[in-house]
């Protein structure tokens, strides 16, 4: 049974693929999502070739106030080529791997990625190295511009989810997702 709470809100059910939209703007949920993004330094990029072959790649990332994600990769890397060949479409998962089974939470995005504009490479490069902690390597923006084999990439999220509370179903546990209001998530600041 699909339980509707308003014209566009529903709790997680099998009929809606276990997606909860009732907590999309819940301050506690938004805070959990921001904490995951801010404290986790690796994400997994999920790309696909135009003919449907999937590929997942972990990358070290940084982000800005609009939750655009940034990373550097080789142009010829499989995930980079998939971005170029598939109109930039990809999914991103940010999650910690140090939690016990059933205790972890993740933030999930879908959106588009492309090479970062050349005039922004220096600023993003500094943010990436700052997030890495330690000393910045001896690199310049030119190390991420043609003819270099590496580029900086920017991912712009179009939709977001977070892991919800597990739902008991018989002797099984269902892992629902809470669809987040992306505008609220972008504007969220802990009080």
């Amino acid at each position: 049974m699909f339980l509707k709470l308003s014209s566009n809100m529903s709790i997680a059910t099998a009929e809606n693929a276990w997606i909860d939209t009732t907590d999309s703007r819940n301050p506690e949920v938004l805070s959990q999502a921001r904490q995951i993004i801010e404290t986790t330094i690796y994400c997994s990029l999920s790309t696909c070739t135009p003919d449907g072959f999937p590929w997942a790649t972990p990358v070290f990332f940084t982000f800005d106030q609009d939750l655009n994600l940034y990373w550097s990769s080789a142009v010829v890397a499989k995930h980079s080529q998939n971005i170029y060949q598939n109109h930039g479409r990809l999914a991103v998962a940010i999650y910690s791997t140090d939690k016990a089974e059933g205790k972890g939470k993740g933030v999930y995005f879908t959106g588009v990625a492309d090479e970062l504009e050349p005039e922004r490479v220096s600023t993003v490069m500094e943010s990436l190295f700052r997030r890495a902690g330690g000393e910045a390597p001896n690199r310049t923006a030119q190390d991420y511009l043609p003819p270099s084999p590496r580029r900086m990439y920017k991912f712009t999220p179009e939709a977001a989810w977070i892991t919800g509370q597990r739902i008991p179903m018989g002797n099984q546990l269902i892992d629902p997702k809470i669809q987040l209001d992306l505008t609220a998530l972008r504007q969220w600041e802990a009080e």
Side-chain angles (χ1 to χ4, degrees):
M1 166 195 255
F2 187 69
L3 300 175
K4 284 204 166 247
L5 301 179
S6 76
S7 61
N8 61 357
M9 293 176 58
S10 61
I11 62 171
T13 66
E15 288 76 19
N16 67 3
W18 302 107
I19 302 294
D20 177 347
T21 57
T22 63
D23 283 327
S24 294
R25 297 179 63 84
N26 179 318
E28 184 179 320
V29 172
L30 295 172
S31 180
Q32 289 174 0
R34 286 301 294 231
Q35 181 180 10
I36 291 167
I37 296 164
E38 291 169 3
T39 62
T40 309
I41 62 172
Y42 287 94
C43 67
S44 290
L45 307 178
S46 296
T47 61
C48 194
T49 63
D51 60 347
F53 185 79
W55 189 258
T57 304
V59 296
F60 176 77
F61 76 98
T62 191
F63 62 97
D64 65 20
Q65 70 276 4
D66 291 324
L67 299 181
N68 296 307
L69 307 182
Y70 303 91
W71 68 92
S72 71
S73 288
V75 172
V76 297
K78 188 174 234 4
H79 60 278
S80 299
Q81 288 300 303
N82 288 346
I83 289 168
Y84 296 127
Q85 297 170 8
N86 206 15
H87 309 288
R89 294 179 296 207
L90 71 139
V92 175
I94 303 171
Y95 57 94
S96 176
T97 60
D98 64 349
K99 306 285 188 248
E101 192 278 327
K103 303 294 184 196
K105 284 198 173 278
V107 175
Y108 313 87
F109 292 111
T110 57
V112 293
D114 202 352
E115 286 185 21
L116 183 62
E117 303 91 353
E119 63 274 8
R120 297 203 47 230
V121 169
S122 288
T123 303
V124 170
M125 185 178 76
E126 290 169 14
S127 174
L128 196 63
F129 296 151
R130 214 176 18 257
R131 186 159 157 89
E135 258 182 65
N138 188 19
R139 294 190 194 135
T140 68
Q142 207 50 47
D143 293 320
Y144 300 97
L145 298 170
S148 171
R150 295 184 68 80
R151 298 289 183 280
M152 288 281 181
Y153 292 87
K154 173 185 175 183
F155 169 78
T156 303
E158 296 175 341
W161 300 262
I162 187 172
T163 309
Q165 293 297 323
R166 292 180 128 188
I167 301 171
M169 176 84 40
N171 63 356
Q172 298 290 319
L173 292 172
I174 304 298
D175 293 318
K177 303 292 182 272
I178 299 169
Q179 185 164 7
L180 299 171
D181 179 308
L182 194 51
T183 300
L185 182 61
R186 284 178 169 137
Q187 295 171 348
W188 179 256
E189 291 188 29
E191 298 173 354

